[in-house]
Amino acid sequence: MKESLTAETVMIAGHAGDEIEAYLAKPQDTDSFGGVVVIHHMPGYDTSTKEIARKFAAHGYAAIMPNLYHREAPGASPDDAAATARAKGGVPDERLVGDVGAAAAYLRDLPGCNSKVGVIGYCSGGRQSFIAACHLPLQAAVDCYGGGVANVPAQAPASMTPYIGLAKDLSCPLLGLFGADDQFPPPAQTAELSAALDSFDKPHEFHTFAGASHAFFSVDRPSYRVDAATEGWALIWDFFGQHLAS
């Protein structure tokens, strides 16, 4: 693994042609590579998720993270932008799909891209990764503890509805990484989603880690679980290596 990369902020034409900011990380000295669209979590377009984009580039993938809150608060801090987006009801699903589709197209247009693009998301981004993979032609999708797919809690915004009915439309293999102690989603709901995918013969593999709750990948939070995160990253590399490598 060379781990040489470049990273920069770029502007892309998102849903409906809106110009939005995105963070792009690319491997250097690599003749052919797959692409990964990284969907940030609810705290927003932040430093920790940019580090994840760079991690993918260090492993030989071009990664791009669109700022889903750019329209609501261009130039604002991640916390302020996220708060503004939440106050307006969150990111509409149609816009999310349009932005992820535009980010995928941007990756496919990069010199050296092998045209294979996957998507990964964490927390709310995990749910959005599933939504995107049910609407867009992708080669792989990873859902890291995305709640609200099989069911949504009573306190959720009215615009947030279950998406298990989209299982029949999943366009690519799905890797799900969940915590056994998580309540959003709890294991019963991930099992329900797995059963729905089975009923439509959709390829997927779900892993639930004992002793882990929500956000176990987040190294800067008390929820971080090193064993679950280490095993989770190994599964991600194997999964994307199988579906996105040249």
Side-chain angles (χ1 to χ4, degrees), residues 188-226:
Q189 290 184 13
T190 61
E192 183 181 352
L193 176 58
S194 181
L197 292 168
D198 280 338
S199 72
F200 294 109
D201 294 322
K202 296 296 183 179
H204 67 286
E205 56 176 287
F206 285 2
H207 299 266
T208 300
F209 299 98
S213 186
H214 201 69
F216 60 81
F217 276 108
S218 298
V219 298
D220 55 351
R221 294 187 182 189
S223 57
Y224 178 59
R225 295 294 180 269
V226 61

Side-chain angles (χ1 to χ4, degrees), residues 138-197:
L138 299 168
Q139 281 65 58
V142 181
D143 171 2
C144 298
Y145 38 80
V149 176
N151 203 349
V152 296
Q155 67 271 25
S159 59
M160 188 175 180
T161 58
Y163 283 93
I164 195 168
L166 293 177
K168 64 182 182 353
D169 300 320
L170 185 66
S171 67
C172 60
L174 173 68
L175 172 65
L177 303 175
F178 307 103
D181 299 336
D182 201 346
Q183 294 304 305
F184 192 61
Q189 290 184 13
T190 61
E192 183 181 352
L193 176 58
S194 181
L197 292 168

Side-chain angles (χ1 to χ4, degrees), residues 18-200:
D18 296 341
E19 189 174 67
I20 63 170
E21 185 175 324
Y23 187 75
L24 174 69
K26 297 183 296 182
Q28 287 185 313
D29 305 321
T30 302
D31 293 332
S32 180
F33 51 82
V36 179
V37 179
V38 180
I39 303 180
H40 59 69
H41 53 178
M42 183 67 76
Y45 179 77
D46 58 4
T47 297
S48 62
T49 320
K50 290 178 181 179
E51 289 176 355
I52 289 172
R54 293 194 296 272
K55 189 178 185 79
F56 280 111
H59 279 74
Y61 299 93
I64 190 167
M65 177 179 62
N67 182 357
L68 302 180
Y69 305 151
H70 181 84
R71 298 169 184 80
E72 283 76 20
S77 70
D79 286 344
D80 289 345
T84 300
R86 285 195 302 270
K88 294 183 177 180
V91 176
D93 293 335
E94 181 182 10
R95 196 179 85 184
L96 172 277
V97 171
D99 286 351
V100 172
Y106 188 98
L107 291 174
R108 290 190 175 108
D109 285 341
L110 291 175
C113 183
N114 63 11
S115 296
K116 297 177 182 179
V117 175
V119 63
I120 187 171
Y122 304 79
C123 187
S124 62
R127 174 175 175 271
Q128 290 169 326
S129 180
F130 176 77
I131 294 171
C134 292
H135 287 88
L136 298 169
L138 299 168
Q139 281 65 58
V142 181
D143 171 2
C144 298
Y145 38 80
V149 176
N151 203 349
V152 296
Q155 67 271 25
S159 59
M160 188 175 180
T161 58
Y163 283 93
I164 195 168
L166 293 177
K168 64 182 182 353
D169 300 320
L170 185 66
S171 67
C172 60
L174 173 68
L175 172 65
L177 303 175
F178 307 103
D181 299 336
D182 201 346
Q183 294 304 305
F184 192 61
Q189 290 184 13
T190 61
E192 183 181 352
L193 176 58
S194 181
L197 292 168
D198 280 338
S199 72
F200 294 109

